[in-house]
Structures are given as C-alpha cells and as structure tokens.
Amino acid sequence: MQLDALYQEIILDHYRNPHHAGLAEPYDVEVHHVNPSCGDEVRLRVSLDGDVVAGVTHESLGCSISQAATSVMTDLVLGKPVAEGMTTYEKFLELMQGRGSVEPDEDVLEDGVAFAGVAQFPARVKCALLGWSAWRDATAQALAASTDGVSNA
Ligand code: ZN
C-alpha cells in the first residue's frame, strides 16, 4: 500500500470511529473552538489529576481532517503529563507548518503522522490543529484554576 493511501486510511478510521468522542462528566474545563475558514467546530472537556491529563473528551463537527485530528490528539495526551502533551503538540505543529519538508516522528506522533500530507495544504492545516488548540486552551484554564484553588499541602 502506498504511504499516502495508508495515511488516508488512518484518517478515515479516526473520522468514522473517533476516539474519546462524547462529552464525559465530571470535567474541569469545557471549551468550544471553531475554525471558521472550514466550518469545523469542537466542544472539548478536560480533567486533570495534578499535572496529568486524566480525561479528554469531545464533540466534533466538520471535515474529516479536523475530526480525525482531534481523535488522534486525545490518544496522544490522555494519561500523560501535561508537559509531555505540550511537547507532542509542538512536534505536530512543526510537522503541520513544514509544508511537507518535515519527516514525522512516529514514536512521538503515532497516528498523527497520517497528517503529514495535510501540511502541503495550508488551508487544511487549521483543520488539523483545531482539536489541539482546544485542548491547549482547556488545559491552561484547568491548570490556572488548580493553582488558584486550595493548596494540596
Ligand atoms: Zn476542516
């Protein structure tokens, strides 16, 4: 199978069967992000346990790339320390902004490598980054709320 075809298949699998879809209770923060250039929307909930991503769920509307990228993102951050998720985001962002010149690191990005081809279409890069921007926003809010709250000491 050609790499492009394999990548296409990975994206379609996530689109048809999105991971961690459906908004879970309880949660720390909910955000709603839109990508007006394509009409994509994501409603995303995050819960943290200390600095670990304990929960991330979403309801996504829009194109296959945005929905699949959000599904892949949940796999990459769930159960990981927030800092590790942010590092993974930076790797994904680097891939997306590389216009096809960046070799994806499958050890870090897992199914995220399937979006390598999307990097050649600047209009679609926003689709692939929508779920990630929602996660980063929700996580930053959850971290801020936890440091404002009662000390664990
Ligand atoms: Zn889109």
Side-chain angles (χ1 to χ4, degrees):
M1 194 186 271
Q2 294 280 312
L3 197 57
D4 282 352
L6 177 65
Y7 284 175
Q8 190 71 27
E9 197 56 36
I10 291 171
I11 290 172
L12 285 174
D13 277 351
H14 278 275
Y15 172 61
R16 294 189 189 114
N17 181 23
H19 300 183
H20 311 106
L23 297 172
E25 305 267 1
Y27 63 96
D28 294 339
V29 173
E30 177 179 308
V31 297
H32 178 227
H33 280 216
V34 298
N35 171 23
S37 65
C38 182
D40 308 318
E41 293 186 40
V42 60
R43 197 173 289 281
L44 184 128
R45 289 180 178 178
V46 163
S47 56
L48 300 181
D49 179 4
D51 68 346
V52 170
V53 183
V56 53
T57 57
H58 62 101
E59 262 179 18
S60 300
L61 293 170
C63 72
S64 57
I65 289 170
S66 71
Q67 295 197 42
T70 300
S71 171
V72 170
M73 180 275 295
T74 63
D75 285 344
L76 288 171
V77 301
L78 190 59
K80 307 269 177 63
V82 168
E84 191 178 330
M86 292 294 179
T87 302
T88 305
Y89 161 73
E90 281 161 21
K91 281 273 190 189
F92 188 69
L93 183 66
E94 186 188 355
L95 175 66
M96 286 296 99
Q97 293 180 337
R99 303 263 173 134
S101 67
V102 175
E103 194 65 39
D105 183 345
E106 191 165 8
D107 288 341
V108 175
L109 295 177
E110 300 178 11
D111 281 356
V113 299
F115 297 87
V118 175
Q120 295 177 27
F121 303 96
R124 310 311 300 276
V125 167
K126 285 182 186 166
C127 304
L129 292 174
L130 179 67
W132 279 103
S133 74
W135 175 72
R136 290 170 67 237
D137 180 18
T139 299
Q141 290 185 41
L143 285 173
S146 69
T147 42
D148 288 347
V150 179
S151 166
N152 290 324

